[in-house]
Amino acid sequence: MTSTPAQPPASVRRAPGGPVLQDSVTEAIATAFFEELASTGYARLSLEAVAKRARAGKAAIYRRWPSKREMTVALVTAVAVAAPHPADTGMRRGDVLMFLTEVADALLPPLAYRIVPDLLAEGARNPELRRALFEAVRDPRRGRAARMLDRAVERGELPADIDCEPALDLLVGPLYWRLAVLRTPTAPDHLDRLTDTLIAAIAA
């Protein structure tokens, strides 16, 4: 029996058909990218500035991503979609509270509330970026929320003919508006109260 080749160390990976990529360099570039994006916005962000902030060569970026847009989509997706899925708590209220907690955790960091509105605004001017981010970030996260509503329907907690599209908008809209647009602090019980309000509105 032949043995399975050992995996290379995490710090030295080889992209399929490509050069050896060091994870430490990738992480430094990713950190520099988010800091630069928060500082300058997408329109003014340059790969040269990201490389300088990361103390890496511009070639190191191009070995990983062929363009600014693809780097943006890949790194934003890694953060937004790779977050843990909200647990199936077995009840509608618990699921909604867990979902809102995940959304709040994603929006509360200072970098996030500077980056997210900028990318949404840039998407209005840049159809290719908007389409790529929608497919990579919005659609998977909206799919999670849809599955949460499906579970509530299966448990008999929501009617089978619920209009899912407005319900999905309602789940995210108020919290996003408060944290990312108004940037208003929330009381410790805000998510609990918002959960009850949303459940009542969705079930109405």
Side-chain angles (χ1 to χ4, degrees):
M1 180 181 298
T2 58
S3 59
T4 302
Q7 289 288 331
S11 60
V12 182
R13 300 284 190 193
R14 183 180 296 276
V20 171
L21 302 179
Q22 295 186 355
D23 283 359
S24 59
V25 175
T26 302
E27 291 168 5
I29 292 172
T31 299
F33 163 79
F34 283 113
E35 292 174 350
E36 193 68 20
L37 181 61
S39 175
T40 67
Y42 180 86
R44 295 175 56 198
L45 181 140
S46 71
L47 298 186
E48 291 85 354
V50 173
K52 182 178 180 180
R53 189 185 284 265
R55 297 182 179 179
K58 189 176 176 182
I61 294 178
Y62 282 115
R63 282 196 291 271
R64 290 160 173 81
W65 307 282
S67 69
K68 180 173 80 170
R69 179 171 59 83
E70 293 198 25
M71 178 173 68
T72 299
V73 173
L75 292 179
V76 170
T77 300
V79 172
V81 180
H85 288 226
D88 179 356
T89 66
M91 57 187 298
R92 177 182 55 184
R93 189 183 190 283
D95 286 357
V96 172
L97 179 58
M98 289 290 289
F99 177 79
L100 293 177
T101 300
E102 179 191 319
V103 173
D105 288 345
L107 292 175
L108 280 172
L111 283 182
Y113 69 65
R114 293 167 66 184
I115 288 171
V116 174
D118 174 74
L119 287 178
L120 290 175
E122 184 62 32
R125 299 184 290 267
N126 188 329
E128 290 187 355
L129 177 66
R130 180 179 67 246
R131 182 167 54 253
L133 287 174
F134 279 7
E135 291 176 354
V137 179
R138 183 202 62 179
D139 293 349
R141 292 182 72 90
R142 198 169 177 87
R144 292 184 192 177
R147 288 191 292 275
M148 178 180 66
L149 295 179
D150 288 341
R151 291 197 301 266
V153 171
E154 292 167 1
R155 291 192 295 255
E157 297 171 325
L158 289 174
D161 61 351
I162 181 175
D163 192 346
C164 282
E165 287 301 308
L168 292 172
D169 293 341
L170 190 59
L171 279 171
V172 177
L175 189 57
Y176 175 82
W177 181 261
R178 185 179 184 93
L179 297 181
V181 180
L182 299 180
R183 300 183 184 180
T184 303
T186 59
D189 65 340
H190 180 76
L191 293 184
D192 280 293
R193 291 187 289 110
L194 181 58
T195 295
D196 292 332
T197 299
L198 293 179
I199 288 174
I202 291 172

